[in-house]
Amino acid sequence: MKGMENQKDYKDMYLALMLLLMIVLIIIPPFLIADEMRPHPMVISVLTKLCNFIPTWKIIPTQDVVDSAFRDPQVRKEIRNNPYCYKGKPRLQTGYQLLRVSMDLEQRLEEVTLPFLIVHGEEDTVTDPSVSKLLYEKASSLDKSFKLYPGMWHSLSYGEFPENRDIVFSDIVAWLNEKINMGNSRLERQQKQANDHNLQKKISSS
């Protein structure tokens, strides 16, 4: 963790490594809906029809995500004072499209084959931990990990207390280091095979 001056350093490092290694890091998958949180089919039907007439109306009933997602009171204050952070209710068309995407993804979880790590707070009331478990169980990936953190809330990378964020980031870094070591071993094997092939060609041509 030393040498990392702020969270931007972490994010830049993760992005570069994920692009290099073609792996997936999932900090709470917000794209699935737990069964007990899924709207009633009648509600979905009504909202779908209303989208044709009032798509921009902000009438979707939602909880106060700021109070539910960010555990650290100082972070909650920063979010509420941020003029660029949207805090209103979702527009009708936005909620409908998110629901459609969620339902489509839920039917395609088996198609996930990349190595991935899911980290999720056990006390998360914004995204049910069961959806993370569902992704972990259904994905076809041979290399997959799921970490559930007791007592932690929704926003693990920003909204938790510093000591908890350190725990999460330490686990993420350890997982990425493991993938890097595996990648280095694979590259070494490929390089050895290439060298052996070139050596065999030289022997054959001499």
Side-chain angles (χ1 to χ4, degrees):
M1 307 294 284
K2 292 183 179 179
M4 296 294 183
E5 296 182 355
N6 52 53
Q7 291 187 16
K8 182 178 184 299
D9 293 326
Y10 287 119
K11 294 175 182 177
D12 292 344
M13 181 187 72
Y14 297 152
L15 178 59
L17 288 174
M18 284 187 283
L19 289 174
L20 175 63
L21 299 173
M22 291 303 291
I23 58 180
V24 178
L25 171 64
I26 305 173
I27 304 180
I28 312 168
F31 42 76
L32 299 175
I33 303 175
D35 290 338
E36 58 270 22
M37 300 178 68
R38 192 183 305 276
H40 189 279
M42 182 65 70
V43 174
I44 296 176
S45 177
V46 171
L47 292 179
T48 300
K49 291 180 173 60
L50 288 176
C51 280
N52 296 321
F53 304 100
I54 50 174
T56 61
W57 282 27
K58 305 174 184 178
I59 61 174
I60 297 180
T62 58
Q63 60 179 324
D64 188 328
V65 176
V66 175
D67 282 342
S68 302
F70 304 97
R71 188 179 181 188
D72 189 335
Q74 181 60 37
V75 173
R76 289 202 294 268
K77 182 178 179 181
E78 292 174 2
I79 295 295
R80 293 196 182 283
N81 291 334
N82 186 346
Y84 299 105
C85 180
Y86 181 74
K87 308 171 193 68
K89 295 183 181 298
R91 297 180 188 275
L92 190 57
Q93 184 66 240
T94 301
Y96 172 65
Q97 293 301 330
L98 288 174
L99 178 63
R100 286 186 56 196
V101 169
S102 172
M103 296 175 69
D104 179 62
L105 288 175
E106 188 172 331
Q107 303 302 317
R108 305 178 62 181
L109 297 181
E110 294 85 354
E111 298 178 22
V112 178
T113 58
L114 287 173
F116 67 80
L117 166 67
I118 302 174
V119 293
H120 203 135
E122 191 174 55
E123 300 301 320
D124 186 353
T125 59
V126 177
T127 305
D128 196 302
S130 64
V131 302
S132 289
K133 184 179 180 182
L134 181 66
L135 171 59
Y136 174 76
E137 292 175 345
K138 287 197 172 186
S140 300
S141 305
L142 299 178
D143 182 356
K144 53 186 178 180
S145 302
F146 174 34
K147 284 186 172 291
L148 191 63
Y149 296 92
M152 296 195 195
W153 290 17
H154 179 77
S155 180
L156 296 177
S157 61
Y158 181 59
E160 275 292 336
F161 296 115
E163 59 271 21
N164 288 342
R165 294 201 302 268
D166 287 343
I167 292 173
V168 174
F169 278 122
S170 293
D171 288 342
I172 292 172
V173 170
W175 186 79
L176 288 173
N177 285 336
E178 179 185 344
K179 303 308 147 189
I180 292 172
N181 292 333
M182 291 173 60
N184 288 338
S185 298
R186 183 174 63 251
L187 290 174
E188 289 174 1
R189 289 195 301 271
Q190 293 174 346
Q191 186 62 51
K192 183 178 183 302
Q193 291 173 354
N195 291 338
D196 290 344
H197 178 70
N198 291 335
L199 179 60
Q200 187 62 41
K201 285 178 63 177
K202 290 180 179 179
I203 294 175
S204 299
S205 61
S206 60

